[in-house]
Amino acid sequence: MTSAAPRSADAVVVGGGTIGGWCAWFLREAGLSDVVLVERRTLGAGASPRAAGMVRAQGGTEAAVRLGLFSRDFYAAQQDRFGIDSGFVAQGYFMPCFTDREVDDARDRIAMQQRLGLDVRWVGPDELDDLNPSMARGMTMGGSYAPGDGYIDPPRNVLAYTAALFTSGVRVLEHAAFTGLLRAGDQLTGVATTAGEISTERVVLTGGPTLAA
């Protein structure tokens, strides 16, 4: 951790939540030698430790399915890779349908997902009810089910990416708010923070929906 903004970096990541934390680690993994993460409070101080933690590959587009499969594999392999993990549990994940249109869409989606290698199948309404005893019976028309989908433990995830950041050499600048991008014409030249300016050609903004303000 550093208390003053470095003068320059290969890349700056703004935001110390799940997306920003793991993004900074992946940038180091990709070969950038000097990565700085800027967080206006502390790592994991926002929504990340309070999230639902769902991890599923049942996306509606090919890109979402591929990203979901990658994410599942990444979380499942963390213990061997880091000596700590985000608490991923592959308990299975249902996506119920309540209308004829949703049934048709789900069957098309399943076909696409299976083509991409996802272990997913259609379950009828009776089987869905049997496998979900906490739900009132007869509420759905069936749905899709992927046994490899599941969830992580959000607070443990913050611990995992914090450990990964510091062991990888990412420089973490806490209590430093992002205040704007620096430009020379149309060229990005750096970021401005309350701890000082950082010269860089690469910036990843992951500070959430209020960052634009």
Side-chain angles (χ1 to χ4, degrees):
M1 187 180 300
T2 182
S3 59
R7 296 179 61 113
S8 63
D10 293 329
V12 174
V13 177
V14 177
T18 295
I19 302 301
W22 285 121
C23 177
W25 180 84
F26 276 113
L27 289 172
R28 282 285 291 131
E29 181 78 355
L32 296 185
S33 60
D34 189 9
V35 178
V36 175
L37 185 149
V38 176
E39 166 55 47
R40 67 186 177 93
R41 291 185 288 176
T42 58
L43 292 175
S48 292
R50 304 166 183 83
M54 296 179 292
V55 179
R56 62 178 175 87
Q58 293 183 76
T61 66
E62 291 195 6
V65 174
R66 294 183 192 279
L67 180 59
L69 287 168
F70 171 85
S71 299
R72 284 187 352 186
D73 291 344
F74 174 68
Y75 282 121
Q78 284 181 335
Q79 184 63 47
D80 291 337
R81 197 165 195 175
F82 304 116
I84 189 173
D85 60 50
S86 299
F88 177 63
V89 177
Q91 71 164 15
Y93 195 104
F94 289 91
M95 297 187 68
C97 298
F98 301 94
T99 66
D100 290 334
R101 173 63 182 273
E102 289 180 354
V103 171
D104 291 340
D105 289 345
R107 292 188 180 278
D108 290 342
R109 189 171 62 247
I110 289 170
M112 177 269 291
Q113 293 165 345
Q114 289 176 335
R115 186 174 69 252
L116 295 175
L118 178 62
D119 179 9
V120 61
R121 65 184 179 88
W122 173 260
V123 295
D126 290 338
E127 184 181 6
L128 192 149
D129 289 343
D130 290 342
L131 294 172
N132 292 275
S134 62
M135 289 178 55
R137 298 186 69 87
M139 297 294 292
T140 79
M141 300 177 68
S144 61
Y145 174 63
D149 286 351
Y151 63 92
I152 60 172
D153 179 333
R156 185 173 176 84
N157 177 57
V158 175
L159 292 176
Y161 72 69
T162 299
L165 288 173
F166 286 101
T167 56
S168 68
V170 171
R171 290 195 279 177
V172 176
L173 183 63
E174 293 184 321
H175 305 292
F178 166 78
T179 58
L181 297 172
L182 304 177
R183 302 174 183 272
D186 293 332
Q187 180 66 41
L188 173 72
T189 61
V191 298
T193 78
T194 54
E197 295 183 351
I198 307 171
S199 175
T200 186
E201 296 179 350
R202 304 176 184 90
V203 179
V204 183
L205 302 176
T206 72
T210 64
L211 188 65

